[in-house]
């Protein structure tokens, strides 16, 4: 397989396992490029990419922009907070105006679930979902799975525990789709109020007790508590959340085997994860960020191939 089976990257749900393996194999090559003194290749010369962010971002925005520049694409950045969206312009009008300036690909983050799917139906450009509401964050899941593969090899039969605010997390949903397609065993853990009822239909196990969930785990992915998506309180207090679901060295020292610790960022230090652990040798959080550039180069490169065909 040398091409993706999809014209856009809207979600991991749409991908086949072979698509994910193709992204990984392509990312391996770009990771090698990123280790060279000259980290740039001409692969996307003459391709113009617009990064359209309707929501805040540090890692994803910078990572896409770097990936695009490493591939020699022309890049324009659009931030909704400084645009005519503030004057009431619709999403389709905004993007069509950008496309009228001959843009080939759009990387978009939006607060509404499904915004990228909607856009893909209405505009003539390749779309990459950089996170849509509480729906999907496909490149985060790809870089997470790639980072596990780098450390542990094959993901098949590895136990991955995803902890925290599963209900509001696009990272959790995309990770579940990716990990299950790659044959991992997935356990979700968090307060019952933050675990959606449908989750078991995705083939994951639910464990409300963190100490139980962590037994024999190969990986633990700690999610941020997404206060901005909560319209009321889902647990009694932050202190109680930390006691039940916060990851600390003391908690890990009770295990026979310490799992790899992951976090998509931004971290609430001292809430989902102690500062000591975030900075420890067990955490691969900055490896995830580093791998994000190679993964996004791979995704853009593979999607652009169908533009040139
Ligand atoms: N992981 C992630 O999506 O981080 P940002 O919100 O900073 O992009």
């Amino acid at each position: 397989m040398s091409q993706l089976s999809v014209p856009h990257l809207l979600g991991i749900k749409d991908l086949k396992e072979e698509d994910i393996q193709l992204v990984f194999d392509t990312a391996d090559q770009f990771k090698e490029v990123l280790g060279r003194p000259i980290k740039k290749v001409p692969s996307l010369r003459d391709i113009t990419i617009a990064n359209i962010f309707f929501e805040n971002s540090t890692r994803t925005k910078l990572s896409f922009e770097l990936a695009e520049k490493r591939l020699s694409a022309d890049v324009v950045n659009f931030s909704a907070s400084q645009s005519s969206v503030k004057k009431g312009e619709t999403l389709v009008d905004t993007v069509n105006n950008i496309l009228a300036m001959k843009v080939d690909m759009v990387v978009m983050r939006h607060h509404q679930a499904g915004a990228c799917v909607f856009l893909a139906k209405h505009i003539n450009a390749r779309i990459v979902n950089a996170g849509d509401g509480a729906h999907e964050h496909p490149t985060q899941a790809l870089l997470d799975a790639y980072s596990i593969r780098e450390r542990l090899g094959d993901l098949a039969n590895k136990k991955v525990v995803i902890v925290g605010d599963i209900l509001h997390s696009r990272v959790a949903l995309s990770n579940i789709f990716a990990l299950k397609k790659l044959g991992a065993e997935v356990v979700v853990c968090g307060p019952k109020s933050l675990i959606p009822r449908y989750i078991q239909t995705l083939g994951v196990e639910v464990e409300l007790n963190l100490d139980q969930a962590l037994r024999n785990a190969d990986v633990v992915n700690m999610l941020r508590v997404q206060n901005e998506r909560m319209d009321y309180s889902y647990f009694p207090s932050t202190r109680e959340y930390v006691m039940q679901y916060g990851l600390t060295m003391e908690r890990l020292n009770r295990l026979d085997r310490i799992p790899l610790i992951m976090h998509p960022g931004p971290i609430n230090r001292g809430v989902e994860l102690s500062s000591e652990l975030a900075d420890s040798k067990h955490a691969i959080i900055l490896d995830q960020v580093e791998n994000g550039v190679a993964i996004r180069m791979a995704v853009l490169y593979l999607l652009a191939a169908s533009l040139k065909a």
Side-chain angles (χ1 to χ4, degrees), residues 53 55-62 109 130-131 137 140 143 170-171 224 263-266 296:
F53 279 67
E55 229 188 36
N56 294 343
S57 169
T58 300
R59 280 146 289 271
T60 311
K61 192 165 184 291
L62 281 175
R109 171 168 287 190
H137 192 348
Q140 181 70 46
L143 73 90
R170 55 194 175 210
V171 175
R224 186 172 65 86
H263 194 299
R296 290 177 173 118

Side-chain angles (χ1 to χ4, degrees), residues 210-259:
L210 180 58
D211 296 309
Q212 288 291 341
L214 290 174
R215 289 171 76 178
N216 301 318
D218 296 291
V219 179
V220 56
N221 195 349
M222 302 302 297
L223 301 179
R224 186 172 65 86
V225 175
Q226 303 196 31
N227 292 311
E228 74 276 17
R229 294 195 207 284
M230 296 186 189
D231 39 17
Y232 60 91
S233 190
Y234 284 77
F235 44 82
S237 68
T238 302
R239 188 162 164 266
E240 189 155 345
Y241 183 89
V242 173
M243 279 169 59
Q244 289 199 49
Y245 295 104
L247 198 62
T248 59
M249 195 60 90
E250 189 195 352
R251 184 161 245 145
L252 287 188
N253 281 337
R254 294 201 290 264
L255 298 171
D256 293 335
R257 178 159 54 108
I258 297 193

